[in-house]
Amino acid sequence: MAEFLKNLNEQQLDSVITTDVPLRIIAGAGSGKTRVITTKIAYLIEKENILPNKILAVTFTNKAANEMKERILKLSNNLYKVNHIMTFHSFCVRILREEFELLNLKQNFTIIDTSEQTRIIRRILKSLDIVDQKSKPEKKIISKISRWKNSLTDWEEAYESSFNNQDKQFAKVYRDYQQYLLENHLLDFDDLLLKAHTLFKNNLEVRQKWANRFSYILVDEFQDTNYIQFDLVKWITNGRGCLTVVGDPDQTIYSWRGAKVNIILNFEKEFKNARTVQLNQNYRSTKPILDLANSFIDNNKNREKKDIFTNKKEGTIVAVKECASRNFEAKYVAKKIKELVEEKKYKYSDFYVLYRTNAWSFEFEKEFSNSKIPFQLVGGFEFRERKIIKDITALLKVVCFQDELSFERVFSFVQKVGPVTAQKLIDCARRNDLSLFDLITQRQDLLITISKNLNSLANALNEGYKLFMNNERVLDICKKLVNLSGYKEILDLKSKEDQEALQNLEAYYDQMAQFDKDYEQEASRVNRLTKFLQEETLSINSDGNIEVPNKVTLLTIHSAKGLENKVVFIVGVNKDVFPSRMSLSSIEALEEERRALYVAITRAQELLYISYVVGEYSYISSGELGASRFITELDPELYELEKNIFFHNPTDMTSQKVYFEKKENIKLNHDVAVSKGDVIEHMMFGEGIVDKVMDKYIQIAFINPAFGVKAIPINSNSWKKK
């Protein structure tokens, strides 16, 4: 046996040496899939005598491709240099460079990036005069065009299938955008795939030429492929057995980018004589973490059953924490990080804090700053740096401080008020010895000579100023400004970007509500809006810009895909937050959310904490926060629960530990006769009434409205009949 095969387990070895039939490797989290791919490439060269330039390996990121190249060089003592390890986009560029004439391209075609797309779209919007520039729709349009392209929809089909006026306008932009690219010999990233797809679909001779060029094809992260990419894989393989795909259906969390979980699930139907090998041994996490992950993901029905295991038998049981407020959740995490750093010798860089939506990060940013815990954000701006927060803060500052800088920010999002109009307003105020605030709110005679589009802003500022002078709640002032200024109308709630922006605004509302509550208890003499804005500024300025390499990382679950760390906190596992409210509309969307939590759980190597908030009102969930349905799906025998975490002051915390009985000690509940109308007691959610009895679940209407109606497994030992 070759030296490089000796360290493989049985399943990994089987994956490497199977080369005569199409092979699907279902690679569980932390199971060493990159080692398998790179070892297989070395095996193909050394044992199957395939030349390195006859092997094609495609993946989804340049980082992954470069890592594979480096590993193969290291594995072969720098003997095997495999040039065709690349992303799908890079592979398609190679095809287009060689076949440009067949696609009526110039040989030196230009690939444009997102910033260049934005400038082109901006020009088209101006030429068509169909969209107000201040609503800044360029990102939405680029995203919409990308979706149309990846579904092979041309502009005419897009126009005909659009039901609202905005989408029809976007379809016209799509038309002119494509024409501009054609005339200027430009391609965007989607075009790279589409042009190659069109060529292979329509020209069998070229398709065969490229299929003959490669003797073996490997595809990494196969669960993230879309139908265009899958067609390219099938065409290059050309019915041969020289294909290995590696992926995990339980980690398909990018459907909004076009990934289709059924592609990997139906692999054996697509390829004759295909085999599947499961990599089930996990080298990352401890047994308690994996047991919880396996049990939880079993709730998904559209999946290929697998249970990942580890030889790391020791490990700390997973901890689930119920907190009385979002601030207490952040305080608990900060407290626990401090304890672990001081007592167990962990470094700050050993910690991840994961959340479903960026809007959940604010309390942690604030608490970590207060606790002097160094941190960094990945996959998002710091809360205060996000556009919507800066916009709303500028509105508040205009009412409170009436400063010119804040007005300039406000003018940037008021519709039909461009830089030229803004400058005219500034000049008019200076000529007449007026503040901008007075010009806009009191001098309609001067204002009308410059712009007719400031009535909503003038009304909002007048009403906001009255509330400010009466020392009304910050939350009330903010809501008044947002509603009267028309800011919410700028947001397109069908856009993923704007849905996240709205969540950030709702998180800001939560912060204001907490400030108002604290202010009323202090009996402060300082105007509350003034105090709020001053404290915000102090908080920003105290953060500093010192680079500290040893930092806690805050990031979304989607940003954490492919990463791992010693200690992981999964926070905000709340109703209407995770799973998101929108995912409840379909089983497919709900299962993707469940896969996202599975991904989060399997990032942890040694310690895992899962937390949620109960009782506090939140604008993010439009009601009182309660435990996510996912909390009820976790097996109570596989975690320890601590409830009612409450901080009486920065250091004094109280809570209540909950202990579940083990199955071997009590009779299973599926032997208990239960009927509609029976009263039951749940260990986490308290007393409830059985509303419906199903095959495997009972539906309970809990007395506490924070928990509402939940489906509980009928054989769970977390409840008992009263």
Side-chain angles (χ1 to χ4, degrees), residues 60-214:
F60 280 81
T61 67
N62 289 315
K63 180 183 176 183
N66 291 332
E67 182 185 352
M68 284 186 202
K69 290 177 183 177
E70 290 169 6
R71 284 205 190 188
I72 292 167
L73 283 171
K74 186 176 180 180
L75 200 62
S76 64
N77 293 318
N78 293 321
L79 288 177
Y80 306 149
K81 185 177 181 182
V82 182
N83 292 321
H84 299 118
I85 300 177
M86 60 189 72
T87 65
F88 271 105
H89 289 90
S90 297
F91 174 58
C92 289
V93 167
R94 296 207 179 192
I95 296 170
L96 300 188
R97 283 177 181 158
E98 190 167 326
E99 313 292 352
F100 66 95
E101 289 178 327
L102 296 173
L103 291 163
N104 296 316
L105 295 173
K106 287 176 62 176
Q107 188 170 15
N108 60 339
F109 62 82
T110 302
I111 304 168
I112 58 172
D113 61 20
T114 304
S115 64
E116 290 163 326
Q117 283 182 287
T118 301
R119 290 201 293 272
I120 294 166
I121 296 293
R122 199 170 289 147
R123 288 181 191 175
I124 294 169
L125 289 173
K126 189 173 182 180
S127 68
L128 292 175
D129 194 27
I130 59 173
V131 180
D132 177 20
Q133 296 296 297
K134 289 303 109 191
S135 62
K136 297 189 183 300
E138 294 89 350
K139 286 187 179 179
K140 297 177 197 172
I141 295 172
I142 290 168
S143 176
K144 180 75 75 173
I145 289 173
S146 180
R147 287 199 296 273
W148 279 327
K149 285 189 174 187
N150 280 287
S151 62
L152 301 176
T153 303
D154 62 27
W155 85 265
E156 289 176 320
E157 291 174 296
Y159 185 87
E160 293 300 325
S161 63
S162 295
F163 296 104
N164 62 63
N165 186 53
Q166 185 185 71
D167 281 355
K168 287 186 178 294
Q169 289 178 342
F170 288 179
K172 289 180 181 178
V173 176
Y174 179 22
R175 173 197 64 195
D176 291 2
Y177 171 76
Q178 285 301 100
Q179 186 62 34
Y180 184 92
L181 297 189
L182 181 65
E183 290 173 357
N184 292 277
H185 310 286
L186 306 175
L187 298 177
D188 62 26
F189 270 56
D190 292 316
D191 288 330
L192 301 177
L193 299 178
L194 290 169
K195 294 287 186 185
H197 185 274
T198 300
L199 178 63
F200 280 11
K201 182 180 179 182
N202 298 329
N203 193 318
L204 298 183
E205 184 180 342
V206 172
R207 186 202 301 182
Q208 186 66 49
K209 180 180 88 172
W210 281 86
N212 292 341
R213 189 165 291 185
F214 300 105

Side-chain angles (χ1 to χ4, degrees), residues 11 71 177 180 189 258 349 367 397 479 490 494 501 562 572 616 648 661 671:
Q11 289 74 31
R71 284 205 190 188
Y177 171 76
Y180 184 92
F189 270 56
S349 57
E367 193 58 42
K397 284 185 175 181
K479 283 187 166 184
I490 299 171
K494 292 181 181 177
E616 183 181 58
H648 302 273
E661 294 181 85
D671 293 332

Side-chain angles (χ1 to χ4, degrees), residues 160 232-233 262 311 325 464 485 530 537 618 650 657 668:
E160 293 300 325
L232 292 172
V233 171
N262 285 334
N311 288 329
S325 72
S485 67
T530 304
T537 305
S618 173
K657 293 252 178 109
L668 289 176

